[in-house]
Amino acid sequence: MAENTNSFIINKTYDPLLFRTVIKRYWWYMPIILSFFFFIAMIYLRYTKPIYESNLILQIENEDNAKNIIDIENINTKKDIFYSEVELLRSELLFNQTIKNLGFEVSIFYKGKFLTEEKYKSGSFNIQAYELMDSSLVDVPIYISYVENKINLNYELGDKSYEFKEEIGKHIITPHFDIVIKIEHPDNFRIELENNQVYFVFNSLRNLSERLYGNLEVSPLDERARTVYIGFRGDNPRICHDVTLALANEFIKNSVKIKKKSSESILNFIDLQLDSLSSELKKSKDSLMNFQRVSNITDPEKEGIEMKTDVSKFQDELFNLEDEIRTLQSIYRKLQDQPNRLDVYRILPELLGKSYETAISSHIESLHALMEEREDILFRVTTESSEIKRIDKKIQEKTKQIIRSIDAIETRLKTRSNVLKNKINELEGIYSTLPGKRMEYNRLKNIQDLNEKYFQLLTEKKVQYAISDAGFSSNNRILKNPSLDPTPVEPKSSTVYISFLLLGMFLSLGIIFIKYVSFNEINLIEDLQNILPSHATILGGVPNSKIEMEYSKIVVTDSPKSMIAEALRKIRVNLSYIKPNYQTIAISSSISGEGKTFVALNLAAIISMTGKRTIILDLDMRKPKIHLAFGKDNSNGMSNLIIGTTTLDQVIHKDVDINLDIITSGPIPPNPSELLLGDNFKQIIKELKERYDIIVIDNPPIGLVSDGVQILTEADIPIYVFKSQYSKRNFAYRVKELFEMQQVKNLNIILNGINQSKNNIYGYGYGYGYGTYEGYLDEEKNTKQSFIKNLLNRIFAPFKR
């Protein structure tokens, strides 16, 4: 169940009896701690400034009518503009403007004994500030009082104090400010000044805004619905309401203005760019025209293509001319070689498609006809005939005529050929200079085209933005208005009480838990049964005595029917079952105060009442007490007897009334251990056994000294006494160690000081001697009732007279 340590025990398992004991012992912790925390909660609620909250829901929605006309989206209606709007709502810029518009130039405060409350539009008066001449007066309290029907103001600035008086409703002009105090309810004003210390301060709007800004909360609710949550917390519900509403209205008022300002900035930028671009465009056009005029080229690219086409055309023409010249030269050579009729006839195909075909082919045909006629005549005449000569002459003349024509045509063709060659050379020369001009032309042309394109684009954008800006409108609206709720959100009474009570409950349960796991006391006989070895005998329990005693006494003789007497009788009966013929009883405990002497005295008295010769020995030589119980002198006792300075008869004290003899401890010796462990002590015990039936030994505590261990081992019935709610559990481990070391083979346990109840005392023991004790309980009950009755009679006796 528990861990054996010298000084601390931790209970690791659940024990219902132990838990019940701890609950009975410390149950009062919980109501006391809960009451304490309830009181702390009351104090906290009483002296904590309440925090109020006001909130609204704003929908951000913009309408772009121009989009349906020109199919262009306004710059302020982009999809991601929603979060920009949220950031604008969160901005210090908008919040500062809101605070400025709310008129927080002056704040009024009512100072009570513990808390200071700011009055905002809720007091019996207000202050209208006209001018603050000295900014060093900011945040300086200016106290207001009402003296002789006049307003009295006093404040301190620097090392000086100032005081001013003025009638109600008039300007109060000081070197530092100019204000008017307007009182709406004079009677309430006087009462408020009597019950509170009233003052006002001039606010620094910047510092005030920075202080209040931390209480603002702006967060998007639904991006698709474009809704935003705006909340504000503070110690004044009206301030929370007004700030929240003013911020939303300021945003609605300024959002279109800010957006239109953005569009106007774009339009102004476009106008500036158009002005600048207009000059650049004019300059680029002039540069291109000057280049065309100087280079005499309109478009190098186009002209290059045209030149290439002309050169190709001229080269084709030149090729045809050269072909015709070669044909003419071929005909000329053939004619110079005196061709026959067949050769002349073959010339005709060569003339096909030539430019001079018409001019020469008729002559060739005529020549061919003459030659054909000559051949026909030669069939009839000889070459010497006049007719042949006449034909030959015609042929010669025709040939000369053709040659002259060929010469003329060739000259003309050669002239044309030279002209074409010159043109080709000229075009090729011009074409070779085109790349540089083309590059310059393209550069100037590109500059002009770029400027024209940019100018056209900006002109279109200007028109579009102008139309779009004119068609843009804002539909921002408040979906949920802020409420002026007088109930604070912090601290909430129910939450505070529940929290503090739960904290108190957890703390009390924690304390009870700690008490449980660290519980180190023996309370019930069951505790001993759980800790001690199984072969340890539980004799029973002795109730706690109600009689106040300075030292241990015999009580069983005065109250023979008491619960203590009956408990000891039961223990006496159980002793006979342990060892019927016992003669020595040694009683010890762990430490002083556990009641071993009380048990020894009363057990000896109970035994002596049976008629047995009984003697009790006080062997606790370090702290003797038995002589005090009998009022005997302790100058001669056991210590003297052991050392042999006196006789046995001289130290025995007789008590005729209860048939009980005693031997006191005697003077405290310097070496009690040596005395008790010597042979003389054993001889004394031997002699006492011959004279007495029962010897009861009040042993020294063996938890502190080892004197009594041997006495316990040699006694017929060794008894170990624990005290309920006093003895520690590790004392029981000491007993367990005695068993394990086999110093004591059999040990009997008595639990002393048990609460006087039937369940706690009776029903425990060795298993023998059970009986009915209602009579004894009734006696105790009657005794208590008689005591209570006598007490009540004494209290109410004066009233009965």
Side-chain angles (χ1 to χ4, degrees), residues 663-699:
I663 299 178
T664 62
S665 67
I668 299 175
N671 56 344
S673 297
E674 288 78 1
L675 294 179
L676 296 177
L677 298 177
D679 294 334
N680 291 340
F681 173 72
K682 295 179 181 179
Q683 184 61 34
I684 293 170
I685 296 297
K686 185 176 180 181
E687 293 180 15
L688 290 174
K689 287 182 178 180
E690 294 175 356
R691 294 188 184 190
Y692 294 92
D693 298 322
I694 302 297
I695 301 172
V696 179
I697 301 173
D698 183 12
N699 226 32

Short mmCIF file of all heavy atoms in Angstrom, two decimals, residues 663-699:
data_model
loop_
_atom_site.label_atom_id
_atom_site.label_comp_id
_atom_site.label_asym_id
_atom_site.label_seq_id
_atom_site.Cartn_x
_atom_site.Cartn_y
_atom_site.Cartn_z
N ILE A 663 5.86 0.11 41.31
CA ILE A 663 7.25 0.46 41.58
C ILE A 663 7.60 1.58 40.61
O ILE A 663 7.55 1.41 39.39
CB ILE A 663 8.20 -0.73 41.38
CG1 ILE A 663 7.87 -1.87 42.32
CG2 ILE A 663 9.65 -0.30 41.56
CD1 ILE A 663 8.75 -3.10 42.15
N THR A 664 7.93 2.73 41.15
CA THR A 664 8.27 3.87 40.30
C THR A 664 9.65 3.68 39.71
O THR A 664 10.40 2.77 40.09
CB THR A 664 8.22 5.17 41.10
OG1 THR A 664 9.19 5.11 42.16
CG2 THR A 664 6.83 5.38 41.71
N SER A 665 10.02 4.57 38.79
CA SER A 665 11.30 4.42 38.09
C SER A 665 12.48 4.81 38.96
O SER A 665 13.60 4.33 38.75
CB SER A 665 11.30 5.27 36.82
OG SER A 665 11.29 6.64 37.17
N GLY A 666 12.24 5.68 39.92
CA GLY A 666 13.34 6.17 40.73
C GLY A 666 14.09 7.29 40.03
O GLY A 666 13.70 7.76 38.95
N PRO A 667 15.19 7.73 40.64
CA PRO A 667 15.98 8.80 40.03
C PRO A 667 16.49 8.39 38.64
O PRO A 667 16.80 7.23 38.39
CB PRO A 667 17.14 8.99 41.01
CG PRO A 667 16.65 8.43 42.31
CD PRO A 667 15.72 7.32 41.96
N ILE A 668 16.54 9.38 37.77
CA ILE A 668 16.96 9.11 36.39
C ILE A 668 18.44 8.80 36.37
O ILE A 668 19.28 9.63 36.74
CB ILE A 668 16.66 10.30 35.47
CG1 ILE A 668 15.14 10.57 35.48
CG2 ILE A 668 17.16 10.05 34.06
CD1 ILE A 668 14.75 11.80 34.71
N PRO A 669 18.82 7.57 35.93
CA PRO A 669 20.23 7.18 35.92
C PRO A 669 20.91 7.66 34.64
O PRO A 669 20.25 7.95 33.64
CB PRO A 669 20.17 5.66 35.98
CG PRO A 669 18.90 5.33 35.26
CD PRO A 669 17.93 6.45 35.56
N PRO A 670 22.25 7.70 34.65
CA PRO A 670 22.96 8.09 33.41
C PRO A 670 23.02 6.97 32.40
O PRO A 670 23.32 7.21 31.23
CB PRO A 670 24.35 8.46 33.93
CG PRO A 670 24.53 7.64 35.16
CD PRO A 670 23.16 7.53 35.80
N ASN A 671 22.78 5.71 32.84
CA ASN A 671 22.91 4.56 31.94
C ASN A 671 21.73 3.62 32.06
O ASN A 671 21.87 2.49 32.52
CB ASN A 671 24.21 3.82 32.23
CG ASN A 671 24.29 3.38 33.68
OD1 ASN A 671 23.54 3.87 34.52
ND2 ASN A 671 25.18 2.44 33.98
N PRO A 672 20.53 4.06 31.65
CA PRO A 672 19.37 3.18 31.84
C PRO A 672 19.45 1.91 31.02
O PRO A 672 18.94 0.86 31.44
CB PRO A 672 18.21 4.06 31.38
CG PRO A 672 18.80 5.13 30.56
CD PRO A 672 20.17 5.36 31.10
N SER A 673 20.09 1.92 29.89
CA SER A 673 20.17 0.70 29.06
C SER A 673 20.96 -0.38 29.78
O SER A 673 20.55 -1.56 29.78
CB SER A 673 20.83 1.02 27.71
OG SER A 673 20.05 1.95 27.00
N GLU A 674 22.08 -0.03 30.38
CA GLU A 674 22.89 -1.02 31.08
C GLU A 674 22.15 -1.60 32.28
O GLU A 674 22.26 -2.80 32.58
CB GLU A 674 24.21 -0.40 31.55
CG GLU A 674 25.19 -0.13 30.41
CD GLU A 674 24.85 1.12 29.62
OE1 GLU A 674 23.84 1.79 29.96
OE2 GLU A 674 25.55 1.42 28.62
N LEU A 675 21.36 -0.75 32.95
CA LEU A 675 20.62 -1.24 34.12
C LEU A 675 19.57 -2.26 33.72
O LEU A 675 19.41 -3.30 34.37
CB LEU A 675 19.95 -0.06 34.84
CG LEU A 675 20.89 0.96 35.49
CD1 LEU A 675 20.08 2.07 36.15
CD2 LEU A 675 21.80 0.30 36.53
N LEU A 676 18.82 -1.97 32.64
CA LEU A 676 17.73 -2.85 32.24
C LEU A 676 18.21 -4.13 31.59
O LEU A 676 17.49 -5.15 31.59
CB LEU A 676 16.79 -2.11 31.27
CG LEU A 676 16.06 -0.91 31.86
CD1 LEU A 676 15.21 -0.23 30.78
CD2 LEU A 676 15.16 -1.32 33.02
N LEU A 677 19.41 -4.10 31.04
CA LEU A 677 19.93 -5.29 30.38
C LEU A 677 20.79 -6.15 31.32
O LEU A 677 21.29 -7.21 30.91
CB LEU A 677 20.75 -4.89 29.14
CG LEU A 677 19.97 -4.16 28.04
CD1 LEU A 677 20.92 -3.74 26.91
CD2 LEU A 677 18.86 -5.04 27.50
N GLY A 678 20.96 -5.71 32.56
CA GLY A 678 21.81 -6.45 33.51
C GLY A 678 21.10 -7.61 34.18
O GLY A 678 19.86 -7.75 34.13
N ASP A 679 21.85 -8.43 34.89
CA ASP A 679 21.29 -9.61 35.59
C ASP A 679 20.47 -9.21 36.80
O ASP A 679 19.54 -9.94 37.20
CB ASP A 679 22.43 -10.54 36.02
CG ASP A 679 23.15 -11.16 34.82
OD1 ASP A 679 22.50 -11.27 33.75
OD2 ASP A 679 24.33 -11.50 34.93
N ASN A 680 20.79 -8.09 37.40
CA ASN A 680 20.03 -7.66 38.58
C ASN A 680 18.56 -7.45 38.23
O ASN A 680 17.67 -7.80 39.02
CB ASN A 680 20.61 -6.36 39.15
CG ASN A 680 21.99 -6.60 39.77
OD1 ASN A 680 22.34 -7.74 40.12
ND2 ASN A 680 22.77 -5.53 39.92
N PHE A 681 18.33 -6.85 37.06
CA PHE A 681 16.95 -6.61 36.65
C PHE A 681 16.21 -7.94 36.44
O PHE A 681 15.05 -8.09 36.84
CB PHE A 681 16.91 -5.77 35.36
CG PHE A 681 15.55 -5.63 34.80
CD1 PHE A 681 14.61 -4.82 35.42
CD2 PHE A 681 15.15 -6.32 33.65
CE1 PHE A 681 13.33 -4.69 34.91
CE2 PHE A 681 13.89 -6.19 33.14
CZ PHE A 681 12.97 -5.36 33.76
N LYS A 682 16.90 -8.91 35.87
CA LYS A 682 16.27 -10.22 35.66
C LYS A 682 15.95 -10.89 37.00
O LYS A 682 14.90 -11.54 37.14
CB LYS A 682 17.18 -11.10 34.83
CG LYS A 682 17.41 -10.59 33.41
CD LYS A 682 18.34 -11.51 32.63
CE LYS A 682 18.58 -10.96 31.21
NZ LYS A 682 19.51 -11.83 30.45
N GLN A 683 16.81 -10.72 37.96
CA GLN A 683 16.57 -11.31 39.27
C GLN A 683 15.37 -10.65 39.95
O GLN A 683 14.56 -11.32 40.61
CB GLN A 683 17.83 -11.14 40.15
CG GLN A 683 17.72 -11.81 41.50
CD GLN A 683 17.54 -13.32 41.42
OE1 GLN A 683 18.07 -13.98 40.52
NE2 GLN A 683 16.77 -13.89 42.37
N ILE A 684 15.25 -9.32 39.73
CA ILE A 684 14.10 -8.61 40.32
C ILE A 684 12.81 -9.12 39.71
O ILE A 684 11.81 -9.35 40.42
CB ILE A 684 14.26 -7.10 40.10
CG1 ILE A 684 15.45 -6.57 40.91
CG2 ILE A 684 13.00 -6.34 40.48
CD1 ILE A 684 15.84 -5.14 40.58
N ILE A 685 12.76 -9.31 38.41
CA ILE A 685 11.57 -9.83 37.75
C ILE A 685 11.24 -11.22 38.28
O ILE A 685 10.06 -11.57 38.50
CB ILE A 685 11.77 -9.84 36.22
CG1 ILE A 685 11.94 -8.42 35.69
CG2 ILE A 685 10.61 -10.53 35.51
CD1 ILE A 685 10.74 -7.54 35.90
N LYS A 686 12.25 -12.01 38.51
CA LYS A 686 12.04 -13.38 39.02
C LYS A 686 11.40 -13.34 40.40
O LYS A 686 10.47 -14.11 40.70
CB LYS A 686 13.38 -14.10 39.06
CG LYS A 686 13.26 -15.56 39.45
CD LYS A 686 14.64 -16.25 39.38
CE LYS A 686 14.53 -17.73 39.77
NZ LYS A 686 15.87 -18.41 39.74
N GLU A 687 11.86 -12.42 41.26
CA GLU A 687 11.29 -12.31 42.59
C GLU A 687 9.85 -11.80 42.53
O GLU A 687 8.98 -12.24 43.30
CB GLU A 687 12.13 -11.36 43.45
CG GLU A 687 13.52 -11.92 43.77
CD GLU A 687 14.34 -10.96 44.64
OE1 GLU A 687 13.72 -10.03 45.22
OE2 GLU A 687 15.56 -11.11 44.72
N LEU A 688 9.60 -10.87 41.65
CA LEU A 688 8.25 -10.32 41.52
C LEU A 688 7.27 -11.38 41.04
O LEU A 688 6.08 -11.38 41.40
CB LEU A 688 8.24 -9.12 40.56
CG LEU A 688 8.93 -7.85 41.09
CD1 LEU A 688 8.98 -6.79 39.99
CD2 LEU A 688 8.18 -7.31 42.32
N LYS A 689 7.70 -12.28 40.15
CA LYS A 689 6.82 -13.36 39.68
C LYS A 689 6.40 -14.27 40.84
O LYS A 689 5.31 -14.86 40.81
CB LYS A 689 7.53 -14.18 38.61
CG LYS A 689 7.66 -13.48 37.28
CD LYS A 689 8.33 -14.39 36.25
CE LYS A 689 8.41 -13.71 34.88
NZ LYS A 689 9.05 -14.58 33.89
N GLU A 690 7.25 -14.37 41.84
CA GLU A 690 6.92 -15.22 42.98
C GLU A 690 5.90 -14.54 43.88
O GLU A 690 5.10 -15.20 44.54
CB GLU A 690 8.19 -15.54 43.77
CG GLU A 690 9.17 -16.41 43.00
CD GLU A 690 10.48 -16.62 43.76
OE1 GLU A 690 10.62 -16.01 44.86
OE2 GLU A 690 11.34 -17.35 43.25
N ARG A 691 5.87 -13.20 43.88
CA ARG A 691 4.97 -12.48 44.77
C ARG A 691 3.64 -12.11 44.08
O ARG A 691 2.61 -12.01 44.76
CB ARG A 691 5.63 -11.17 45.24
CG ARG A 691 6.84 -11.38 46.12
CD ARG A 691 7.24 -10.01 46.67
NE ARG A 691 8.46 -10.09 47.47
CZ ARG A 691 8.94 -9.09 48.23
NH1 ARG A 691 8.25 -7.95 48.26
NH2 ARG A 691 10.04 -9.24 48.90
N TYR A 692 3.66 -11.88 42.76
CA TYR A 692 2.48 -11.35 42.07
C TYR A 692 2.03 -12.29 40.97
O TYR A 692 2.83 -13.05 40.39
CB TYR A 692 2.77 -9.96 41.47
CG TYR A 692 3.03 -8.91 42.53
CD1 TYR A 692 4.34 -8.65 42.96
CD2 TYR A 692 1.97 -8.19 43.07
CE1 TYR A 692 4.58 -7.69 43.93
CE2 TYR A 692 2.22 -7.21 44.04
CZ TYR A 692 3.50 -6.96 44.46
OH TYR A 692 3.74 -6.00 45.42
N ASP A 693 0.72 -12.19 40.70
CA ASP A 693 0.16 -12.98 39.59
C ASP A 693 0.47 -12.32 38.24
O ASP A 693 0.77 -13.00 37.26
CB ASP A 693 -1.35 -13.11 39.76
CG ASP A 693 -1.72 -13.85 41.05
OD1 ASP A 693 -1.00 -14.79 41.39
OD2 ASP A 693 -2.72 -13.44 41.67
N ILE A 694 0.36 -11.01 38.19
CA ILE A 694 0.55 -10.28 36.93
C ILE A 694 1.54 -9.14 37.18
O ILE A 694 1.40 -8.38 38.16
CB ILE A 694 -0.77 -9.71 36.40
CG1 ILE A 694 -1.79 -10.83 36.17
CG2 ILE A 694 -0.53 -8.92 35.09
CD1 ILE A 694 -1.39 -11.84 35.12
N ILE A 695 2.51 -9.03 36.27
CA ILE A 695 3.48 -7.93 36.30
C ILE A 695 3.28 -7.13 35.00
O ILE A 695 3.47 -7.67 33.90
CB ILE A 695 4.91 -8.43 36.39
CG1 ILE A 695 5.10 -9.28 37.66
CG2 ILE A 695 5.90 -7.25 36.37
CD1 ILE A 695 6.44 -9.97 37.71
N VAL A 696 2.90 -5.87 35.13
CA VAL A 696 2.72 -4.99 33.96
C VAL A 696 3.90 -4.03 33.92
O VAL A 696 4.15 -3.30 34.90
CB VAL A 696 1.39 -4.21 34.05
CG1 VAL A 696 1.25 -3.29 32.84
CG2 VAL A 696 0.21 -5.17 34.12
N ILE A 697 4.61 -4.05 32.80
CA ILE A 697 5.83 -3.25 32.67
C ILE A 697 5.56 -2.09 31.70
O ILE A 697 5.18 -2.32 30.54
CB ILE A 697 7.00 -4.11 32.15
CG1 ILE A 697 7.26 -5.28 33.11
CG2 ILE A 697 8.25 -3.26 31.96
CD1 ILE A 697 8.28 -6.27 32.60
N ASP A 698 5.75 -0.89 32.18
CA ASP A 698 5.69 0.31 31.31
C ASP A 698 7.08 0.49 30.71
O ASP A 698 7.99 1.04 31.35
CB ASP A 698 5.27 1.53 32.13
CG ASP A 698 5.11 2.76 31.25
OD1 ASP A 698 5.11 2.62 30.01
OD2 ASP A 698 5.02 3.88 31.80
N ASN A 699 7.22 -0.01 29.50
CA ASN A 699 8.51 -0.06 28.82
C ASN A 699 8.87 1.31 28.23
O ASN A 699 7.98 2.09 27.89
CB ASN A 699 8.42 -1.09 27.69
CG ASN A 699 9.62 -2.01 27.67
OD1 ASN A 699 10.17 -2.31 28.70
ND2 ASN A 699 9.97 -2.46 26.49
#
